[in-house]
Amino acid sequence: MDSQKLSVQPLTKGAFAPYGTVIETDGAQQISINQGTTTRFDALAQIDVAYEGGIPIISLFRGTRRSSPIEISMLERHPLGSQAFMPLANHDWLVVVAAGNADDSAPDFDRLVCFRATGSQGVSYDRGTWHHPLLILEESQDFLVMDRSGNGHNLDEVWAEDMTAQIDL
């Protein structure tokens, strides 16, 4: 099985735009609420879950660190809804995404992109975006996750047949 080294780049709104939205307060509309005691950072990302009758849910995911080097040999996508992750602690974490192959039936493992998100950045994967499951850099880390619940097939997983990528931190 072939292996490629995957470089890690900073997570920015522009670089991540083909895959979804970066959730962060930088540049967000700020609204003073609650008699001036709270700042609302408004509409940081949209949640796309209504397709085929889905409903929005909020969950807590507790991730554990994978062994180094981190092997990337599987990606998943959610064809019926977006999925947003926001860390609940100020620890960096990794986001691995890829474009789909020619007919979008699987990810293009030759076009993997790895971003390093700060502990104050979340991501909202667009509906159908190929991504790796949660990748954390601490022993354990919690995330608030907003995604879709409802009927229909909303999880595709594809394993690379002859190749993996490694992230060596």
Side-chain angles (χ1 to χ4, degrees):
M1 183 175 287
D2 293 336
S3 182
Q4 65 172 320
K5 293 287 183 190
L6 193 55
S7 64
V8 180
Q9 60 183 289
L11 180 66
T12 65
K13 290 178 181 179
F16 192 72
Y19 312 103
T21 303
V22 175
I23 302 170
E24 62 185 349
T25 58
D26 288 349
Q29 179 183 7
Q30 297 181 33
I31 302 170
S32 180
I33 62 172
N34 300 333
Q35 300 79 44
T37 63
T38 303
T39 300
R40 175 180 173 150
F41 296 91
D42 199 47
L44 299 177
Q46 294 183 2
I47 304 299
D48 173 12
V49 297
Y51 189 71
E52 293 191 10
I55 61 168
I57 60 170
I58 298 173
S59 304
L60 185 118
F61 284 21
R62 179 165 295 145
T64 55
R65 184 180 170 110
R66 296 169 188 262
S67 59
S68 288
I70 298 170
E71 300 257 336
I72 306 297
S73 56
M74 183 277 288
L75 293 180
E76 65 180 31
R77 71 174 174 185
H78 305 282
L80 302 182
S82 61
Q83 188 179 43
F85 288 79
M86 190 69 201
L88 296 178
N90 193 17
H91 302 298
D92 288 3
W93 57 294
L94 300 176
V95 176
V96 174
V97 291
N101 62 7
D103 67 0
D104 202 31
S105 62
D108 183 344
F109 282 97
D110 291 327
R111 295 173 55 199
L112 292 171
V113 182
C114 180
F115 297 101
R116 186 179 192 115
T118 69
S120 63
Q121 292 177 305
V123 298
S124 180
Y125 298 114
D126 285 345
R127 179 166 42 109
T129 294
W130 291 103
H131 63 279
H132 193 276
L134 193 57
L135 292 169
I136 66 163
L137 302 175
E138 298 296 313
E139 289 303 312
S140 175
Q141 187 172 353
D142 290 347
F143 288 77
L144 189 67
V145 177
M146 291 138 286
D147 62 352
R148 179 189 188 279
S149 180
N151 293 330
H153 175 79
N154 194 32
L155 175 63
D156 295 327
E157 291 181 341
V158 174
W159 293 82
E161 293 180 16
D162 59 354
M163 172 273 196
T164 63
Q166 291 184 344
I167 306 167
D168 198 6
L169 299 171

